[in-house]
Amino acid sequence: MKLIDKVVLVTGAGSGLGRASALAFAEEGAKVVAADIDQKAGEEASSLINERGGQAIFVKTDITNEASVKALIDTVIQTYGKLDCAHNNAGIMIGGPIIDIDEKDWDKLMSINLKGTWLCMKHELIHMLTNQEGVIINTASAAGLSASPNTALYGTSKWGVNGLTKSAAIEYARQGIRVNSICPAGMKGTKMWLDTFEQDPALSAQLTESVPMGRDTSPEEVAKVVVWLCTDNASFITGVNMPVDGGMSSL
């Protein structure tokens, strides 16, 4: 119970890594605020935590809208009185060659993956600065550490998330706030995995083969890293874009 009585916000908590992260935080004693634009999925995640003896609430949130993000943080503070940790996880995947990307796809993905992460960080930081402490974890990607074909749009957004992470870590290190990102490889069972790889066994096998450890990861495995980064065991770690990719970033 390394996070007992801590208040943790998780965006994109309705499915995939977000849900796994929310559950993992609750298992360590944290009070969880599960945020998602999908009300049904978000409510299911928070209900699952409460059914297992944890404590969670759901807040429907559009992370691309600043008023919605501010309302989310206000709800966290009104409900629990503080915000100790935040996992900015909400995001989408749009792949394909650069010449096939539509302007509307660029705008949509950047608005969610990059602008949304920035808006969440902005309002989380505003509160954390009042207490001079806090931890923020952003979900980036292995695609934000190295390039690969047909991931230019998604990868660019995650390179941006990694840059935001490092900048924020440097800006607020002396104010007691740590900011890191995680850069996972493909996670089996997530919506991104199902939409991108599950329908193409050859592509799925190719991705697995590209991992030096020779296997895929899962949301639950990556969630353990997210939680660890929020504990005192990682108290001297900030400004890190941490690979959780089975060695891919070392190639």
Side-chain angles (χ1 to χ4, degrees):
M1 304 288 281
K2 295 182 178 67
L3 295 171
I4 193 163
D5 291 330
K6 296 290 187 182
V7 177
V8 179
L9 166 64
V10 180
T11 67
S15 62
L17 176 57
R19 179 175 291 202
S21 173
L23 290 168
F25 277 120
E27 288 172 0
E28 290 294 342
K31 299 170 184 176
V32 177
V33 178
D36 205 296
I37 198 167
D38 185 331
Q39 183 162 346
K40 181 180 179 181
E43 288 178 342
E44 287 175 352
S46 60
S47 295
L48 187 57
I49 289 171
N50 292 322
E51 289 167 6
R52 294 182 179 183
Q55 189 171 346
I57 63 168
F58 166 70
V59 182
K60 184 174 181 178
T61 307
D62 177 0
I63 64 167
T64 69
N65 180 284
E66 185 162 16
S68 182
V69 173
K70 185 179 184 301
L72 167 64
I73 303 302
D74 288 345
T75 300
V76 175
I77 305 308
Q78 291 165 6
T79 304
Y80 293 119
K82 62 175 182 174
L83 173 62
D84 297 298
C85 308
H87 179 198
N88 298 319
N89 168 74
I92 63 170
M93 167 69 168
I94 298 176
I98 291 173
I99 61 172
D100 292 338
I101 295 171
D102 292 329
E103 185 177 2
K104 65 179 181 179
D105 291 333
W106 174 278
D107 291 343
K108 179 180 179 179
L109 188 139
M110 291 299 172
S111 183
I112 295 172
N113 289 9
L114 193 51
K115 176 186 172 183
T117 299
W118 162 66
L119 284 175
C120 288
M121 288 176 64
K122 174 182 175 179
H123 289 279
E124 291 155 2
L125 285 164
I126 288 171
H127 174 72
M128 289 177 176
L129 283 168
T130 65
N131 292 337
Q132 294 287 288
E133 64 178 356
V135 183
I136 295 174
I137 309 298
N138 298 319
T139 295
S141 170
L145 294 175
S146 59
S148 59
N150 301 319
T151 62
L153 179 56
Y154 178 71
T156 297
S157 72
K158 295 304 186 178
W159 279 90
V161 168
N162 281 334
L164 273 172
T165 298
K166 285 186 173 291
S167 295
I170 297 302
E171 286 184 28
Y172 300 106
R174 301 266 175 126
Q175 283 74 45
I177 300 170
R178 297 191 294 109
V179 187
N180 296 293
S181 70
I182 56 160
C183 301
M187 292 173 281
K188 273 195 170 178
T190 65
K191 186 177 186 303
M192 286 186 188
W193 179 278
L194 295 172
D195 291 346
T196 306
F197 300 106
E198 197 70 13
Q199 309 305 319
D200 190 337
L203 184 61
S204 175
Q206 181 181 352
L207 177 64
T208 303
E209 182 61 29
S210 71
V211 178
M213 289 182 70
R215 66 174 179 84
D216 304 306
T217 188
S218 68
E220 291 74 21
E221 187 172 29
V222 177
K224 292 177 181 178
V225 181
V226 175
V227 171
W228 175 76
L229 284 168
C230 288
T231 68
D232 287 341
N233 290 338
S235 59
F236 204 53
I237 298 176
T238 195
V240 171
N241 305 139
M242 180 169 286
V244 191
D245 61 2
M248 289 177 66
S249 56
S250 296
L251 294 172

